[in-house]
Every structure is written in C-alpha cells, then in structure tokens.
Amino acid sequence: QVQLVESGGGLVQAGGSLRLSCAASGSISSINYMGWYRQAPGKQRELVAHITSGGSTVYADSVKGRFTISRDNAKNTVDLQMISLKPEDTAVYYCNANIVVATGTRLYWGQGTQVTVSA
C-alpha cells in the first residue's frame, strides 16, 4: 500500500514563507511525476506545480516566481517552497504522485495540509 504524507502547512502573514513537504512510502517501483494542488473554500482544486522524474517543472501562472517545487528521487519526496505569500494563496494544499506499483500505474493523493495567509 502506498501513502503520501504532507507536512509544513500553517498560518503565516502576507509576505511570509512556508515550505511544504510530501513523502511517499510503501511498495513503490518508481514515481513518474509529483505535484502540488490546492483547493480554496468554494473553489475547484487547481494545479500549483508539478515536477517530472527528470526535473522538468510546470507552475500555475499565479505562483510563478514565488513558489519552487523540488524533489528527491532517492527519498521519494517532493517539496514546495513558497515565498511572498498572499492571502489568495490560502487553501488546503494536496500532494499527488503518479506511482508505478506492482499492479500498474496509479495516481495517489495526500490528505492535505492547510495553508492560511493573513493580510
């Protein structure tokens, strides 16, 4: 069984920084892409950033220049460094990963971590 566990959320003032981490564990053969999504109250879940196993990255326009995604393939972890946070970044942040297991490839999600940015 595979699990994704996020950590690092919290409350921060506008202009501040937070670092989110996500660790994948279990019977993992390999991991293709890993990423972060977020969902604000009353809104749809949206892509924040994702990174391939080769290190190619994609960012939402709203976070370009402020957020940086990185991963450690040896540890099966993905981090999201967030700076210059804005109140509109407030959301539950979810880690996801496209993981190869014995029975095939599947998309896994973490449980989410709350990020609250006060004005």
Side-chain angles (χ1 to χ4, degrees):
Q1 184 153 354
V2 173
Q3 280 190 316
L4 297 183
V5 178
E6 300 114 334
S7 60
L11 173 64
V12 65
Q13 289 188 329
S17 302
L18 280 176
R19 187 177 184 91
L20 305 183
S21 295
C22 173
S25 62
S27 301
I28 296 169
S29 295
S30 62
I31 300 179
N32 297 320
Y33 62 82
M34 302 184 82
W36 290 92
Y37 280 70
R38 67 186 181 187
Q39 188 166 20
K43 295 188 176 181
Q44 289 190 328
R45 192 173 295 191
E46 63 176 3
L47 172 70
V48 176
H50 90 185
I51 184 168
T52 68
S53 57
S56 297
T57 57
V58 172
Y59 292 94
D61 287 343
S62 59
V63 307
K64 283 180 181 176
R66 300 188 298 121
F67 291 10
T68 303
I69 189 170
S70 60
R71 66 186 279 181
D72 185 325
N73 291 332
K75 295 181 180 179
N76 291 335
T77 59
V78 61
D79 290 350
L80 186 69
Q81 178 67 50
M82 306 183 291
I83 66 171
S84 302
L85 283 160
K86 304 175 181 180
E88 51 263 43
D89 294 318
T90 295
V92 178
Y93 284 69
Y94 297 90
C95 168
N96 79 347
N98 184 261
I99 298 176
V100 181
V101 296
T103 53
T105 302
R106 181 183 161 187
L107 185 64
Y108 291 87
W109 291 87
Q111 80 285 357
T113 185
Q114 177 70 47
V115 171
T116 302
V117 184
S118 62

